[in-house]
Amino acid sequence: MRGGPTTLLALVPALALASPQEAAPLQEFSSDAPVAPTVSVRGDVRLMGGVDTGFEPAREDGLGEHVVDGWGRASLATDVKLSPSLRLVVEGRAFWRGGAQKGFERAKSSFEPFVGEAFLDVYTRWVDVRVGQQTLAFGANPFFAPTDILNPRELRQSFVQLEPEDLKQPVFAARALATVGPLSITGAWVPFFFADRYDVFGQDLALLQPPLGVGVPISVDPSVEDGLQPHLLETERPGLPGDVGLRVTSDVGRVKVGGSWVWANEKLPQVTFDPELEAVLRARERGEPVDAALLLSLQERLSAGESLVTGRYARQHVVAAEASTLVGPAQLDVDVGFSPSRTFYDDRLQPLRKPAVSWVVGASQAEESDLVYSVTYTGLAVPGVGAQEVLFLMEPGTARGQERTAFFHLLVADVGYSLLGGRLQVGMRGAFEPIQRSFLVAPRVGWRVSEHVHLGLAAEVYGGPSFSAFGYFNRNDQVLASLRLVL
């Protein structure tokens, strides 16, 4: 199984596959809501197991492939309507997983409980305010919009199998929504920093993979390595003032138009190695002798307390324009954004700060139907790439040689069809990146046993060069079975 790497620092969330429908929001208050408090409870449990179609030999360096995987997710939320102007939501979530290499070598498992959405809504005549753990939405496209970067992403699972609500992780924030004449204005402040959830090594979706030629940074038993990873690549985390976002929309005839601005910390660390340390590591990877003077210099600098590796979260401004409208049974949306400086990586994994222009064009089913679909094209242009620079996973090595504007294009689609009165669902997700011709195809079939029990069978098939967006991991394809229990 393959997935989105650390080197997709510039592409995440662009590689998060869109779903044809957004997760249904919790019910809002109406002006005639009853005064007496009401309580509703919702929740579900999802289990999935996967087996590779081919078994690669086990490795002892921590970079081996899992040939069997299993994971589970559970959530339980209580929605309390205290009055027509107050609402309280508290949700708990849990995530567990396990896996093993061929022959059940390096088997491991982990369990992680955490807070999901947990917020208080206050509704007034002039403004609606939400404070607490929440999911924020900026832009027309629900998952690809350039300014939709306030929530960290879940990067530890195959994104083609994730439910939409699992991709964006709730973050503690204060959000205000007001209507001023024809304008709808949203302001958001995220005072505390939350990073993306990712693995550095030892998992099929980890950031370090064998093709990189980079060793595992630590040597520990598999049973504890996953618990150590969230902070391995970082040396400091941002503090106040936190992240800030502003969005303004308005209806112009049948078209909803708007603009947004976000000033936020990137959610993956910008890792920089000291040149002398990098030279030593590269020499060891190639099996070459290390210069004694270089080793002595490193020893002296370490003794003096110098930092040879830094992992910091850079800040970026992003501005974007958006538009959406209905055309028959379909919703069309367009987003265009610009950032004067964001982090990319070259083919030696050195961070590069470059301006970037991104755009998204999407079409999705907007009416109730047995056929549900979503098609999205997203692109990225990065000007000022140097003649000796190659943007990792975005460009082939042949791009090196002249200063240029680098382009990345991605087409993703999701289609599903319901049969037998909705009991049987068949569908497919897919993505294609044309520059290096990498792709993924993920067919699926589901059976609704009852209102509360759903079974599923799916597959993941990947292709492309080793350093392309979908071929980076050189992972085997996988067959997966799932069970979902809805409370």
Side-chain angles (χ1 to χ4, degrees):
M1 180 173 64
R2 308 171 187 163
T6 189
T7 53
L8 291 182
L9 300 177
L11 306 183
V12 176
L15 292 183
L17 198 60
S19 172
Q21 295 179 331
E22 288 188 73
L26 293 173
Q27 184 178 355
E28 297 288 353
F29 278 118
S30 62
S31 58
D32 58 352
V35 175
T38 61
V39 179
S40 62
V41 178
R42 62 178 176 86
D44 70 351
V45 176
R46 281 164 287 163
L47 305 173
M48 180 171 288
V51 179
D52 285 4
T53 58
F55 289 4
E56 291 187 358
R59 299 170 61 114
E60 294 298 329
D61 60 1
L63 295 179
E65 173 188 355
H66 284 178
V67 299
V68 292
D69 289 284
W71 62 263
R73 281 187 169 272
S75 68
L76 183 64
T78 301
D79 184 1
V80 184
K81 300 178 180 179
L82 299 168
S83 74
S85 60
L86 290 175
R87 172 189 177 207
L88 177 66
V89 172
V90 178
E91 180 190 23
R93 298 183 184 180
F95 171 58
W96 61 93
R97 61 176 172 171
Q101 297 184 27
K102 183 178 180 180
F104 291 94
E105 296 292 330
R106 294 185 67 86
K108 58 183 176 180
S109 61
S110 61
F111 176 77
E112 178 185 338
F114 57 98
V115 177
E117 292 198 319
F119 56 80
L120 176 68
D121 278 348
V122 180
Y123 305 104
T124 72
R125 179 179 303 176
W126 303 277
V127 63
D128 296 338
V129 177
R130 174 173 293 179
V131 179
Q133 289 278 111
Q134 57 187 285
T135 301
L136 301 163
F138 274 57
N141 191 284
F143 301 107
F144 290 81
T147 51
D148 194 22
I149 58 173
L150 293 174
N151 289 91
R153 262 51 176 188
E154 172 60 74
L155 306 179
R156 299 174 299 176
Q157 295 176 248
S158 170
F159 62 85
V160 296
Q161 302 301 335
L162 280 177
E163 296 294 335
E165 62 268 24
D166 295 325
L167 176 64
K168 294 168 63 174
Q169 299 299 297
V171 65
F172 186 89
R175 187 211 68 183
L177 174 62
T179 300
V180 180
L183 303 179
S184 177
I185 303 174
T186 301
W189 177 42
V190 183
F192 309 115
F193 177 77
F194 297 85
D196 286 336
R197 296 178 176 178
Y198 60 90
D199 293 307
V200 180
F201 67 94
Q203 297 282 356
D204 282 350
L205 301 180
L207 307 178
L208 297 182
Q209 295 293 333
L212 285 177
V214 176
V216 173
I218 60 174
S219 178
V220 296
D221 188 83
S223 62
V224 299
E225 64 186 20
D226 287 349
L228 300 176
Q229 298 199 42
H231 304 290
L232 280 179
L233 298 183
E234 57 184 25
T235 55
E236 63 181 74
R237 284 198 165 191
L240 293 174
D243 299 344
V244 180
L246 179 66
R247 182 189 184 196
V248 180
T249 61
S250 181
D251 292 324
V252 180
R254 298 180 57 188
V255 181
K256 181 179 180 179
V257 299
S260 54
W261 163 77
V262 170
W263 183 46
N265 293 290
E266 296 175 348
K267 301 303 184 285
L268 285 169
Q270 183 186 97
V271 182
T272 303
F273 285 84
D274 179 86
E276 289 188 346
L277 177 61
E278 183 187 9
V280 170
L281 295 176
R282 293 291 178 181
R284 289 184 173 178
E285 290 164 11
R286 295 190 298 264
E288 300 174 353
V290 180
D291 183 83
L294 192 59
L295 288 175
L296 180 60
S297 174
L298 286 175
Q299 183 177 2
E300 292 175 348
R301 294 173 61 196
L302 283 172
S303 299
E306 291 189 34
S307 178
L308 302 182
V309 180
T310 60
R312 301 187 176 97
Y313 295 88
R315 292 189 72 90
Q316 63 169 320
H317 290 276
V318 185
V319 293
E322 64 180 86
S324 61
T325 188
L326 292 176
V327 179
Q331 176 173 317
L332 302 181
D333 56 66
V334 178
D335 293 272
V336 179
F338 171 73
S339 176
S341 181
R342 59 183 284 188
T343 303
F344 297 88
Y345 280 78
D346 64 15
D347 55 348
R348 297 179 61 191
L349 298 186
Q350 291 297 309
L352 304 171
R353 295 290 289 179
K354 303 286 185 182
V357 178
S358 56
W359 56 91
V360 183
V361 180
S364 58
Q365 177 70 24
E367 295 182 354
E368 186 174 351
S369 171
D370 290 335
L371 175 66
V372 180
Y373 64 87
S374 172
V375 179
T376 302
Y377 159 62
T378 181
L380 183 68
V382 185
V385 179
Q388 299 305 312
E389 297 173 343
V390 175
L391 299 187
F392 193 49
L393 299 189
M394 290 180 56
E395 298 183 292
T398 54
R400 182 184 283 108
Q402 60 181 355
E403 187 172 338
R404 64 199 176 277
T405 296
F407 289 93
F408 179 83
H409 306 280
L410 182 66
L411 180 67
V412 299
D414 189 346
V415 60
Y417 193 79
S418 297
L419 303 163
L420 303 179
R423 297 182 68 86
L424 176 65
Q425 300 88 33
V426 294
M428 180 177 293
R429 286 178 175 176
F432 178 63
E433 176 269 305
I435 292 180
Q436 298 195 69
R437 298 183 179 87
S438 64
F439 66 89
L440 74 84
V441 177
R444 65 184 185 273
V445 60
W447 179 257
R448 179 167 56 85
V449 179
S450 69
E451 183 180 354
H452 302 286
V453 180
H454 303 258
L455 300 176
L457 187 65
E460 295 177 353
V461 180
Y462 293 79
S466 295
F467 292 101
S468 64
F470 296 108
Y472 166 67
F473 286 90
N474 287 323
R475 294 300 194 188
N476 285 321
D477 303 325
Q478 192 174 51
V479 176
L480 306 105
S482 64
L483 168 66
R484 182 171 187 174
L485 306 175
V486 181
L487 304 181

